[in-house]
Amino acid sequence: MSRLGYLARRLLLAIPVVLFGTSLTFLIIRMGPIDPAAAIVGSPDTPSAQAQYERTREQLGLTQPLWDQYVEFMTDLLLFDLGQSWVLSPGTNTYDLILTYAPRTLWLGFWSILIAVFVGIPLGFYAGLNPNTRADYLVSFGGIVWRAMPNFWLAIILLALFAQSQQYFFGFDWSGFVVDSEVTGAYQFSDITTSEGFVREFKRVLPAALVLGSASMGNEMRIGRTAVLETINSNYVETAKAKGLSTTKIVWKHVFRNALIPLVPVITSEAFLLIGGAVLVEVVFGINGLGYLFFQAVINGDLPLVASLMYVFILVLVGVNIIQDILYTIIDPRVGLEEGSA
Amino acid sequence: MTLDADSDGPTESSANADPLLAVEGLRTVFSTDKEEIHAVDGIDFDVREGETLGIVGESGSGKSVTARSIMGLVKSPGRIVDGSIRYRGEDLVGKSEDELRAYRGGDIAMIFQDPMTSLNPVYTVGNQIEEALELHQGLSGSEATDEAASLLESVNIPDARRRLGEYPHEFSGGMRQRALIAMALACDPEVLICDEPTTALDVTTQAQILELLQDVQRERDLGMIFITHDMGVIAEIADRVGVMYAGEIIERAPVERLFAKPKHPYTRGLLESIPGRNPEAARLHTIEGDVPTATEPAASCRFAPRCPKAIDGCDRVHPSAVAVDDADADSAGTDGADDGAIDGHTVSCLLYPEDRSREWRLEGHRDGDSIDATDLEGARTDGGTDETTSRGADATTSRGAGKATGDDASADTRDDATNEVIDE
Amino acid sequence: MIGGDADDGDGGSAGGNADGRSTDGDTDSFEDRPLRERIAANPRPAAVWGAGFALLVAVQFGAIADVIVNAMPWGVALGALPSIPGTGILAAVGQWFADLPTLLSPELIPNEGYYVPGEGWHGTFLGLSPAIAWGIRVVLVYAYAFAALAWIWYAYVLFRRHYRYADWTPRDDVVDRLRTHRWGQFGIVIVLAFLVMAIFAPALATAPVAQNIEDPYSHTIEYYDHDAGEVVETTVGDANRNSQSRGQDARNVGPMSYDDYDRFHPLGTMPSGQDLFTFIVFGARVSLLIGLLSLTISGVAAAGFALFGAYYKGKLDLSFVVMSDSVQAMPRLLLLVLLSVILADTWIGGLYSGAVVLALIFGVTGWPALWRAIRGPALQVAEKEWIDAARSYDQAPTTTMRRHMLPYILGYLLIYASMTLGGIIVGVAGLSFLGLGVDSPTPEWGRAIDAGQDYVTTASWHISLLPGLFIVLVVTAFNALGDGIRDAIDPQSDVGGDSEEAAAGGTGA
């Protein structure tokens, strides 16, 4: 199978995954005991409330047979008719909600990926190049512990430390550092293009991004280390040495590129952790992003919004998987040859 | 041998006799928490221009470590603890990594056993050959591509220019080995070390690769060290052979001689295990057991436990090299004095010299490491004849006899014990 | 021959069953006498071991019965079948056993008492201070637990020495490799300590959980009132209210200190005045229960899918791929949030303060990660000759899977299960932190972190910090254990990468 064939196959496989995942969402929402109409208008105990309840059921299409509901649910979503919020922000278009909330999550996610990649991978590579040294043990152990920390706990601790930085960092004042900023809170992008606004928002996203990227950073350190170690001991590196290549050339050309291959899924799987983990981090840091929106929608029983958001998340994650496959095909010429049925 | 080279140097006019690469007393040890493994335990050999030295032995005998020692590619926790590796007179042992790199590729190149994994899978074959061209011949751009293509052609890869742009996984095993040979040639080396280059290939491909290597060597007048476990391959390609066992070279001889008159029981075993060599035998001969891992300095013959000819004493005396150039050897007349050591036939076995008594041999070999090394070798380099050998050995015996009493007593008691065990 | 092969390849089935003697299934196939007869032929070592084991059980019999009767979620089974005659009697008998006195109980070594100036401690073990009495109990509990484990290990040694025919089996190598695996041993020790903490929670806690946490206003304690100059009785609830940790120095009971009621708090108190240590040990119980239950569910599902997928391949395997990809395409933590909210109001959501439904949710959403991790090995084993041979003999597919494929993938399942367990513990804590997991009054670590989050930089720093450190330690230990098992079972494997991270990466909490 050629590389393009492999890619096409993966794309094809994404279709049933989206369909099936969305159907699962429908099943979870409709099969549960929560009555969306009751969540919207409250329990129908007075005649007028009863009438409104019936109207809402009508509007939501709950009076139709389940199968029709399912078909409508699926067609709406597949045609990107994401509907509106009913409880959380009644009448607001889901698109508008996403447009309002997404930038904050994107800002957070962007930096947490970047920090994790640019700290975790170099540290892991360094440890792999210097195995069994003190630095290696420090990095390996640090990576393992860093990864084992629960995000929400780390968030609480870091938040407290940054808020009182003068007390814990020998008088270093984080909130007054370079530009004045609060440690946390919703991001403001109005002046993001100015250097001051950028620095301020970067400062504000840093603790949260550090937390959200923590697990991935630990993973990247570990995998990066093993990948480099394996590559260094490989036969082609020995061949390169026997050719008389300099160490620098060997490391940069023959070790790093090969060691990046196993890191591809680790990096892309960050997206999974980010979207999921954002809930906790956003709650602790008081950032009203997509995770926060989803959480609020769930606990307030805004099920139509929940379904639409879940559909968007599924699309994003499936998209990330496709990006991962594209990355694979670029970085590893063998792709599509060794892969089995999946 | 260093002495020989020095003394004979001025009179030697032919550059041909000056070895490209001379390995002497090389010891490579792997130290772990638990033990020290003597992977290469004091071996000597040399290679001259246009000549192929075969090193043969079972897996685990230290062949590959020998090759890596020469390249300076011994992996931790291994290190060279003793001996010298002289390339054109320059000792490589003890040189820094940077200094060693100057020799790798351009002077001494190596071809590895497993062509499937010896090419970097994420770069094209052309890229990897051009890399060597750039480094060693200063070629780049289209020049390098042209040269790489002609190299691929010279190793008989058709459609070379298109093949340059392909990735290793698009090559078959034999093709990859050819590409690796081309890559080694791109370095323009003087010495080529081939570490089991045909083992991973199927038989027809093996033959083609061997032929290719021979052609390449002839064209470029390379000194070649060919490492293999396959006696058949050795017969085809080598000029001289060293038989390796548990880190030591236990027999060395020109190839025809080794096949015609193998001396060491191990060598005989190896030869008998070649299918079709003695068709009358009902079943193929095998050597029972495995190569032992040498965890301490040799105090006995390491082959003794597997040896069908083991005699009393093999388990406590470490044999030293004995010249076995018989009277019919043609070497005495044609070869120079110096060549006696190189081209001669030596064997490290307590059964030799054959015409001496067991006690004499044990005594001679026991002292071999300290005194006899020079005596025996000296004897051979003097004349390379049987006569001188025995003269040197005689001296040893008389010298040893004086102090032997104490040793003998204890040796005798041990003898008895051993005999009893055997009798049972 | 076929049967023998597969059984010999079995490196993974869990050893150390109840009697600790018949652990080795792999030698049975070529042995002619059953283990019972072999013991009869040489009964002494087994008898000595049995006597020791009986002694160990006897001193703790009440506690063992208590765990069986009270700590297991019988409510699930009984709740589904509410009116089976006889369950009442069974429960009564069980309760009677559970009430038997045990060596390591707060009743036998009490640590709750009060100090009367001039008289010393009343009500504590031998009149020692509560801290010392509690310390003695903790040391004894761990000494007992590790002695019991050592005794079970000794059973394996005895079996190897006296009753096993084979001098060597592949499992010996696995054990030997674990012996030199320091990192894995670190994991084993911490994991065992955690297990002991969960199992012996009532004996380790400074106060009974019902008294201190679940129902404090129904219980009373005595203390010496300095103002009145006499011993006074008060409800635990009132005592708790006056022992709160709320940041200020005046309202804080830190680690290793006493409150005004002469109660000792090894880790301080919570903002509600409850004892943090008691909260943590019982929280360990809930975490472990959810972890094991959900792993059983996802493990069985993953093994089933892997076996059927690998055996039949083709469309079936592809459908599993689509299913698992679909579940994994939903962000796990969000899916967990959604499911726990939706299922919270069902009858199952009320069981054990929501712990049971959490286990179900984690189990149902967790199988894809496990399945992905063992699919490779399953496909590998399905390629082996003996599978073809079994097929050609018309062996029933399920028999082939069970006898020839399952043993091979069990080891891998164990590795990833261990690594996943840490992720589940973190996930449960995360949900509880959000108020969606285990509800009050059942203790759960995440809720302790939540309760203390306003006090991290105050005098009451211990409330959030210490439970968090416990989680880090336990999760690290489970990962280390997984590493150790992997290196022991399959030293050549370079598993790493993809599937391991998928399993160990957890939920993103």
Side-chain angles (χ1 to χ4, degrees):
Chain A
M1 191 167 28
S2 73
R3 289 156 79 179
L4 282 179
Y6 165 81
L7 206 58
R9 190 184 151 83
R10 299 292 300 180
L11 274 171
L12 212 64
L13 208 60
I15 296 169
V17 166
V18 171
L19 290 179
F20 198 66
T22 317
S23 307
L24 269 182
T25 313
F26 176 81
L27 207 66
I28 292 168
I29 287 174
R30 288 295 147 86
M31 292 295 126
I34 294 183
D35 182 348
I40 291 165
V41 295
S43 53
D45 33 19
T46 61
S48 69
Q50 179 69 35
Q52 202 191 350
Y53 173 78
E54 292 301 337
R55 254 201 324 279
T56 315
R57 277 179 66 85
E58 193 78 34
Q59 279 175 322
L60 287 175
L62 296 179
T63 46
Q64 297 167 28
L66 199 62
W67 176 253
D68 291 344
Q69 289 182 41
Y70 172 69
V71 171
E72 195 187 331
F73 175 88
M74 293 300 282
T75 29
D76 280 355
L77 288 183
L78 292 177
L79 296 172
F80 292 99
D81 176 4
L82 301 185
Q84 51 168 302
S85 164
W86 286 84
V87 184
L88 213 53
S89 167
T92 318
N93 214 315
T94 305
Y95 273 118
D96 295 335
L97 280 174
I98 292 178
L99 282 181
T100 319
Y101 283 80
R104 302 170 189 135
T105 300
L106 284 179
W107 181 248
L108 174 62
F110 172 74
W111 285 109
S112 56
I113 291 182
L114 218 61
I115 291 171
V117 165
F118 281 94
V119 176
I121 296 180
L123 279 180
F125 278 11
Y126 179 81
L129 289 174
N130 301 280
N132 301 323
T133 60
R134 198 170 298 185
D136 172 34
Y137 292 139
L138 197 71
V139 168
S140 306
F141 186 72
I144 287 164
V145 173
W146 188 244
R147 188 174 75 145
M149 286 185 193
N151 274 346
F152 62 98
W153 178 74
L154 190 62
I156 289 171
I157 304 294
L158 276 189
L159 190 58
L161 291 182
F162 275 104
Q164 314 237 341
S165 58
Q166 276 164 308
Q167 191 183 340
Y168 294 98
F169 300 136
F170 313 104
F172 169 74
D173 178 18
W174 170 255
S175 56
F177 179 62
V178 187
V179 290
D180 280 334
S181 66
E182 322 91 270
V183 175
T184 178
Y187 306 122
Q188 292 142 19
F189 300 116
S190 52
D191 58 347
I192 193 76
T193 44
T194 69
S195 60
E196 191 186 323
F198 182 81
V199 172
R200 187 193 66 232
E201 290 310 317
F202 175 64
K203 254 184 73 181
R204 274 149 48 93
V205 81
L206 192 65
L210 214 56
V211 171
L212 196 50
S214 63
S216 320
M217 193 147 96
N219 280 346
E220 278 153 18
M221 278 187 208
R222 262 169 61 96
I223 303 289
R225 177 180 180 273
T226 9
V228 165
L229 264 180
E230 242 167 59
T231 316
I232 279 186
N233 288 318
S234 70
N235 288 343
Y236 53 82
V237 165
E238 196 167 34
T239 311
K241 275 186 194 163
K243 249 192 260 183
L245 288 183
S246 69
T247 315
T248 329
K249 183 107 193 230
I250 289 175
V251 166
W252 284 96
K253 181 173 174 182
H254 289 278
V255 174
F256 282 174
R257 171 138 177 211
N258 295 69
L260 275 177
I261 295 173
L263 278 167
V264 168
V266 182
I267 296 170
T268 50
S269 73
E270 275 192 45
F272 290 69
L273 295 181
L274 294 186
I275 291 183
V279 182
L280 283 159
V281 175
E282 287 179 355
V283 167
V284 175
F285 280 94
I287 303 159
N288 40 1
L290 279 182
Y292 183 79
L293 178 68
F294 183 86
F295 178 59
Q296 291 299 328
V298 169
I299 55 177
N300 288 307
D302 198 343
L303 296 186
L305 181 59
V306 167
S308 298
L309 285 177
M310 190 55 104
Y311 176 66
V312 171
F313 292 144
I314 291 174
L315 284 186
V316 168
L317 292 187
V318 167
V320 167
N321 264 341
I322 291 170
I323 292 176
Q324 168 182 326
D325 288 324
I326 294 175
L327 273 180
Y328 258 142
T329 36
I330 291 174
I331 203 167
D332 187 349
R334 290 163 299 178
V335 150
L337 282 155
E338 293 167 7
E339 201 78 9
S341 51
Chain B
M1 254 186 259
T2 324
L3 275 171
D4 303 340
D6 284 349
S7 58
D8 292 325
T11 58
E12 202 67 60
S13 52
S14 136
N16 187 38
D18 218 9
L20 264 175
L21 188 75
V23 172
E24 236 179 279
L26 181 70
R27 287 179 202 277
T28 305
V29 171
F30 288 78
S31 319
T32 63
D33 295 341
K34 283 186 225 151
E35 55 195 5
E36 289 210 323
I37 296 164
H38 300 251
V40 177
D41 204 7
I43 61 168
D44 313 299
F45 59 80
D46 43 27
V47 188
R48 283 162 298 189
E49 269 172 35
E51 167 194 68
T52 302
L53 172 75
I55 296 184
V56 67
E58 286 169 272
S59 49
S61 58
K63 303 164 304 200
S64 291
V65 179
T66 307
R68 281 171 175 72
S69 300
I70 297 170
M71 296 300 290
L73 290 177
V74 181
K75 280 177 190 161
S76 175
R79 70 208 154 86
I80 298 174
V81 292
D82 200 9
S84 68
I85 300 164
R86 287 174 193 281
Y87 173 75
R88 291 193 186 279
E90 190 88 18
D91 192 352
L92 303 183
V93 176
K95 279 202 190 299
S96 73
E97 176 70 18
D98 278 339
E99 290 168 314
L100 275 179
R101 195 182 314 125
Y103 289 92
R104 282 188 206 137
D107 292 309
I108 311 172
M110 182 157 169
I111 293 167
F112 292 91
Q113 176 172 358
D114 187 0
M116 307 309 276
T117 57
S118 291
L119 285 162
N120 192 330
V122 305
Y123 294 104
T124 59
V125 173
N127 180 320
Q128 298 181 60
I129 295 177
E130 285 164 34
E131 185 181 56
L133 286 172
E134 188 183 339
L135 187 70
H136 293 287
Q137 304 189 17
L139 300 176
S140 60
S142 60
E143 243 182 322
T145 316
D146 291 343
E147 179 62 22
S150 72
L151 273 172
L152 273 195
E153 266 161 29
S154 74
V155 294
N156 304 330
I157 291 182
D159 200 5
R161 200 160 280 276
R162 185 176 60 81
R163 285 295 193 165
L164 282 180
E166 290 187 346
Y167 288 95
H169 68 259
E170 295 167 272
F171 277 48
S172 69
M175 295 275 253
R176 284 190 216 188
Q177 196 59 289
R178 287 170 197 274
L180 279 162
I181 293 171
M183 201 158 84
L185 296 180
C187 302
D188 195 17
E190 305 287 319
V191 178
L192 185 62
I193 303 177
C194 306
D195 183 6
E196 306 232 19
T198 56
T199 307
L201 306 173
D202 64 66
V203 183
T204 39
T205 323
Q206 269 188 22
Q208 294 166 1
I209 295 286
L210 281 184
E211 205 173 305
L212 172 66
L213 282 169
Q214 273 173 318
D215 289 347
V216 161
Q217 183 204 24
R218 222 170 292 133
E219 272 166 34
R220 303 183 176 231
D221 214 17
L222 294 173
M224 190 149 95
I225 301 177
F226 196 98
I227 294 172
T228 180
H229 65 268
D230 188 337
M231 272 294 191
V233 170
I234 283 288
E236 220 166 294
I237 200 161
D239 298 318
R240 288 182 297 122
V241 187
V243 181
M244 238 181 134
Y245 187 84
E248 299 171 295
I249 292 185
I250 47 125
E251 181 164 7
R252 79 184 75 221
V255 65
E256 303 84 12
R257 218 184 139 72
L258 188 84
F259 277 77
K261 299 195 168 177
K263 296 289 184 187
H264 199 286
Y266 178 63
T267 316
R268 289 186 189 165
L270 280 185
L271 288 173
E272 281 165 27
S273 62
I274 301 176
R277 218 176 120 80
N278 42 349
E280 67 272 19
R283 45 177 296 193
L284 218 52
H285 177 88
T286 53
I287 308 174
E288 296 293 324
D290 292 311
V291 182
T293 308
T295 51
E296 39 204 70
S300 64
C301 172
R302 286 189 175 132
F303 184 61
R306 298 169 72 188
C307 185
K309 298 251 174 72
I311 53 166
D312 189 22
C314 284
D315 56 345
R316 51 174 202 277
V317 176
H318 181 238
S320 12
V322 178
V324 282
D325 294 316
D326 303 335
D328 62 337
D330 52 359
S331 61
T334 52
D335 288 357
D338 189 31
D339 299 345
I342 300 166
D343 287 342
H345 190 170
T346 67
V347 59
S348 304
C349 179
L350 296 176
L351 297 172
Y352 301 93
E354 261 174 319
D355 51 353
R356 294 290 173 167
S357 72
R358 187 175 71 86
E359 287 72 24
W360 188 96
R361 296 197 306 254
L362 289 188
E363 204 50 50
H365 282 281
R366 194 199 302 281
D367 294 343
D369 276 341
S370 53
I371 307 156
D372 252 8
T374 48
D375 279 46
L376 283 171
E377 302 251 351
R380 274 184 286 117
T381 42
D382 285 342
T385 61
D386 203 15
E387 188 194 322
T388 46
T389 309
S390 35
R391 196 175 3 100
D394 263 338
T396 317
T397 332
S398 55
R399 221 184 298 135
K403 56 151 183 141
T405 40
D407 283 341
D408 273 1
S410 57
D412 281 347
T413 45
R414 261 176 296 165
D415 262 2
D416 291 342
T418 324
N419 285 338
E420 273 169 31
V421 173
I422 292 167
D423 286 343
E424 280 174 22
Chain C
M1 190 57 214
I2 291 166
D5 259 356
D7 284 349
D8 291 349
D10 158 22
S13 70
N17 60 7
D19 67 3
R21 265 169 273 143
S22 56
T23 45
D24 263 25
D26 48 5
T27 48
D28 291 347
S29 50
F30 50 85
E31 278 167 7
D32 30 356
R33 287 188 305 163
L35 183 67
R36 191 160 15 88
E37 285 177 34
R38 274 179 275 152
I39 289 175
N42 179 16
R44 212 183 119 71
V48 170
W49 185 87
F53 189 72
L55 185 72
L56 282 168
V57 170
V59 295
Q60 278 297 101
F61 190 76
I64 294 168
D66 185 51
V67 169
I68 295 170
V69 174
N70 293 331
M72 295 283 162
W74 297 120
V76 190
L78 298 182
L81 310 158
S83 57
I84 296 175
T87 47
I89 301 166
L90 214 64
V93 173
Q95 199 56 46
W96 182 78
F97 276 121
D99 292 340
L100 285 178
T102 58
L103 177 66
L104 301 165
S105 68
E107 286 78 34
L108 217 64
I109 311 177
N111 68 314
E112 286 189 299
Y114 51 88
Y115 187 79
V116 180
E119 291 180 35
W121 288 98
H122 287 260
T124 59
F125 180 60
L126 302 177
L128 295 163
S129 72
I132 305 274
W134 170 79
I136 289 175
R137 215 164 65 222
V138 170
V139 169
L140 281 179
V141 164
Y142 274 95
Y144 172 83
F146 279 94
L149 288 167
W151 199 248
I152 289 171
W153 170 250
Y154 180 57
Y156 177 67
V157 175
L158 281 181
F159 170 77
R160 239 165 108 161
R161 194 183 305 149
H162 295 289
Y163 302 117
R164 197 173 71 186
Y165 283 141
D167 282 339
W168 177 90
T169 68
R171 188 165 304 146
D172 293 359
D173 271 3
V174 171
V175 170
D176 284 346
R177 279 193 290 264
L178 259 183
R179 274 195 172 153
T180 54
H181 201 287
R182 290 274 165 264
W183 175 236
Q185 284 167 354
F186 159 81
I188 290 176
V189 169
I190 302 290
V191 164
L192 286 178
F194 171 72
L195 293 181
V196 169
M197 183 189 252
I199 293 167
F200 288 85
L204 286 171
T206 55
V209 66
Q211 179 235 59
N212 190 274
I213 292 172
E214 286 171 358
D215 197 6
Y217 283 98
S218 305
H219 293 80
T220 56
I221 52 165
E222 289 180 322
Y223 73 103
Y224 180 79
D225 188 334
H226 287 267
D227 298 333
E230 56 180 2
V231 175
V232 191
E233 197 176 80
T234 182
T235 65
V236 176
D238 286 331
N240 280 355
R241 213 173 53 230
N242 291 322
S243 316
Q244 296 174 337
S245 291
R246 288 197 176 264
Q248 307 98 319
D249 286 329
R251 295 188 69 192
N252 182 46
V253 181
M256 302 305 280
S257 62
Y258 288 90
D259 62 17
D260 295 340
Y261 299 86
D262 291 335
R263 297 183 300 176
F264 177 67
H265 300 288
L267 300 180
T269 63
M270 304 197 26
S272 57
Q274 296 163 346
D275 180 50
L276 182 59
F277 185 79
T278 304
F279 196 90
I280 285 182
V281 289
F282 280 95
R285 222 172 220 209
V286 178
S287 299
L288 184 68
L289 181 94
I290 297 176
L292 291 183
L293 202 58
S294 63
L295 273 181
T296 313
I297 296 170
S298 49
V300 168
F305 288 151
L307 290 179
F308 277 92
Y311 188 86
Y312 290 108
K313 302 198 180 67
K315 287 209 178 78
L316 190 69
D317 190 44
L318 190 68
S319 72
F320 291 151
V321 170
V322 170
M323 256 161 70
S324 111
D325 275 6
S326 307
V327 175
Q328 288 196 313
M330 298 189 233
R332 176 106 190 264
L333 194 64
L334 298 186
L335 189 58
L336 293 171
V337 166
L338 180 60
L339 281 170
S340 51
V341 168
I342 281 181
L343 294 177
D345 292 336
T346 57
W347 64 270
I348 199 176
L351 294 176
Y352 204 180
S353 304
V356 173
V357 75
L358 274 189
L360 280 180
I361 294 173
F362 273 87
V364 167
T365 57
W367 67 265
L370 274 182
W371 173 75
R372 284 203 164 267
I374 58 171
R375 180 170 168 255
L379 285 172
Q380 248 171 33
V381 72
E383 295 296 320
K384 302 277 190 210
E385 298 83 2
W386 64 75
I387 304 296
D388 279 342
R391 239 187 256 240
S392 65
Y393 284 121
D394 274 344
Q395 193 174 48
T398 47
T399 315
T400 310
M401 287 179 215
R402 187 166 42 81
R403 294 195 52 194
H404 305 310
M405 293 166 69
L406 186 62
Y408 184 80
I409 63 168
L410 266 184
Y412 293 91
L413 200 58
L414 205 63
I415 297 167
Y416 295 110
S418 172
M419 293 183 167
T420 313
L421 196 54
I424 295 175
I425 290 174
V426 172
V428 172
L431 287 179
S432 302
F433 175 82
L434 287 175
L436 300 176
V438 180
D439 297 325
S440 180
T442 304
E444 210 293 321
W445 294 357
R447 280 218 324 284
I449 295 176
D450 179 36
Q453 66 168 318
D454 292 335
Y455 307 111
V456 175
T457 55
T458 67
S460 308
W461 51 268
H462 54 271
I463 310 167
S464 273
L465 192 73
L466 296 178
L469 288 179
F470 267 85
I471 294 180
V472 174
L473 191 65
V474 171
V475 172
T476 307
F478 273 110
N479 285 338
L481 178 66
D483 282 341
I485 302 175
R486 182 195 57 216
D487 292 346
I489 291 179
D490 189 0
Q492 260 82 51
S493 79
D494 51 344
V495 187
D498 218 356
S499 45
E500 179 179 322
E501 297 315 319
T507 56

